[in-house]
Amino acid sequence: IQVCQVRPACSQVYSFFHSADPSACRLEPLLEKRFHVLPPFSVPRYQRYPLGDGRSHQLGDAIHNHSALFLENSTLSIPFSQESPGSPNASDQPQGKTRKLSLASTNSENSGSTESLPSTYLTNITAKWWGTKRIDYALYCPDVLTAFPTVALPHLFHASYWESTDVVAFILRQVMRYENVNLKENDNLDPATLSPSNPREKWLRRRTHVKLRNVTANHRANDVIAAEDGPQVLVGRFMYGPLDMVALTGEKVDIFIMTEPSSGRWVYFDTEISNSSGRISYNIPKQKRLRVGVYPIKMVVRGDQSSAASYLTVLPRGMECVVFSIDGSFAASVSIMGSDPKVRAGAVDVVRHWQDLGYLIIYITGRPDMQKQRVVSWLSQHNFPQGMIFFSDGLVHDPLRQKTIFLRNLMQECHIKICAAYGSMKDISVYNVLALSPSQIYIVGRSTKKYQAQCQFLSEGYAAHLASLEFSLHSRPKKNNSRMILRKGSFGLHSQPEFLRKRNHLRRTMSVQQPDPPSSNPKPERAQSQPESDKDHDRHLPSIAWVRGGVHKFESVP
């Protein structure tokens, strides 16, 4: 049987193997004899190149890059029918002897070879190939494995293959078509800076490697709201260990912004050096400022590729929003810092009601920013709608005063309008200072005579309040603004803390907001509170969405 006449029932074949595996064999020399002089394609290491190393494994590129090898006998090429399929292992025998030759030929070809293969020869190769890419892929093989008995290597490599993060990352890049994105669509962008795929660099300071040993990253970047004609300043803090034990001092941090969220493409803006407290501040230059919309931000530490994610929201003047204070209004238990607290029944549906009307959702808390990952994971676990989250800058003596200052600055500098505000009894003073009317302030808890004239108490819970919002004039659609559309959605789980992975917490989460008697086929609260429009959107998500590091819940429409 001629191998070239056997066509697999798929569009592409990938053959993974370890170079030291005695039972491994190559397929490419069976399809084209000259490929025995080319080494297999080395799969990039995931730890060093999380998004790939940028090398092309397309068949056409491989042939052109090694055209010197194919030109030697292109005129004397033996017909494929005369080639004996033979043993795959036999085709691998000259591989080691000719690897240096192939590398040398590559260098000579890149150094100035202007020759090109005849189009007919190239067509003959591609016509019998099993896909459009290389077929043989070699995995990383540590030198320590040479000490193992040869008999044990095949079983060891087989088990290692299924646990290899290099293989998983490579397969996902193929399935999601991430490496097939056409970089020529934006000619003004440098393709090398479209994704944070550069390898790790050495730390600028020698002490950094010692300081960061055995500690985990707890980076965070503040969500930013900016007026369309105002400055756009990004702030991040890079800390390690529990309670911010170690600050990243004097190291490089790359700043990436997804300027076109629909494309899923990260654009490199600049590199900043962290200060003594692990902070960076980057003011986007005037010529690079973004128009009205919501843009994901990623700040990547150059030394270990750890990152912090946030959003930049550029708003037009007069944007209407609804403020929710997390502490005491959403959680039914005392602390979000503890084990997964319960959610007040109907809280998620009330927030989504305002989101469906077109309002910008703002979550605010007096908690320090070191708890951002825990709080965001808690909100995403309970399917809260996407919104901008704001924390106190470290431990503060008076968190209520910090809330007041922050909201007042938003109203004055970004010209937003707060149409409704939710919180606990301690937040009444904050909203009164902002000159909100009692009809705009909703407080969770029992009514008291002292504050009865200053707010509206939700003594019957969020469920009754939602019914009054839907069947009364207390809520209205946001004023039409065609330049700003916020997509309805919920938080994405970027990194879930360990305390949210426990099964008992998941069971409690699914049974919290089910006031009705259980039916024959009960659904978890997460699925019940998800709007139909969001379900349909998730069902038709494009394949590139996974690569963005989390599904983006906002989209800007020009």
Side-chain angles (χ1 to χ4, degrees), residues 341-395:
K342 296 181 179 181
V343 180
R344 294 184 182 272
V348 177
D349 298 318
V350 170
V351 181
R352 181 164 292 115
H353 170 78
W354 289 104
Q355 186 192 56
D356 291 341
L357 293 177
Y359 291 87
L360 174 66
I361 303 300
I362 295 179
Y363 299 100
I364 188 170
T365 176
R367 295 177 176 275
D369 55 357
M370 70 176 66
Q371 297 186 14
K372 179 178 180 180
Q373 291 186 13
R374 286 179 172 268
V375 175
V376 172
S377 297
W378 183 84
L379 292 172
S380 62
Q381 178 68 29
H382 294 279
N383 204 28
F384 274 90
Q386 177 79 52
M388 308 298 289
I389 309 179
F390 299 96
F391 295 78
S392 296
D393 188 8
L395 297 172

Side-chain angles (χ1 to χ4, degrees), residues 207-274:
R207 295 179 55 189
T208 303
H209 177 71
V210 179
K211 289 169 57 179
L212 303 185
R213 186 175 298 172
N214 299 328
V215 290
T216 57
N218 187 25
H219 308 326
R220 58 265 188 186
N222 297 336
D223 289 343
V224 179
I225 293 181
E228 61 176 324
D229 54 351
Q232 301 174 5
V233 182
L234 310 181
V235 180
R237 191 175 187 186
F238 299 84
M239 310 296 292
Y240 291 82
L243 300 179
D244 292 348
M245 295 174 56
V246 182
L248 184 68
T249 304
E251 298 293 346
K252 293 182 180 180
V253 178
D254 295 330
I255 300 174
F256 296 86
I257 303 178
M258 194 175 292
T259 55
E260 297 179 5
S262 59
S263 68
R265 191 174 303 160
W266 292 103
V267 178
Y268 169 80
F269 268 63
D270 207 345
T271 299
E272 294 288 332
I273 304 295
S274 58

Side-chain angles (χ1 to χ4, degrees), residues 311-362:
Y311 287 95
L312 167 64
T313 303
V314 184
L315 300 177
R317 289 177 176 266
M319 185 68 185
E320 296 178 314
C321 66
V322 177
V323 177
F324 291 90
S325 177
I326 298 177
D327 301 286
S329 57
F330 288 158
S333 55
V334 177
S335 176
I336 290 182
M337 191 66 179
S339 61
D340 185 16
K342 296 181 179 181
V343 180
R344 294 184 182 272
V348 177
D349 298 318
V350 170
V351 181
R352 181 164 292 115
H353 170 78
W354 289 104
Q355 186 192 56
D356 291 341
L357 293 177
Y359 291 87
L360 174 66
I361 303 300
I362 295 179

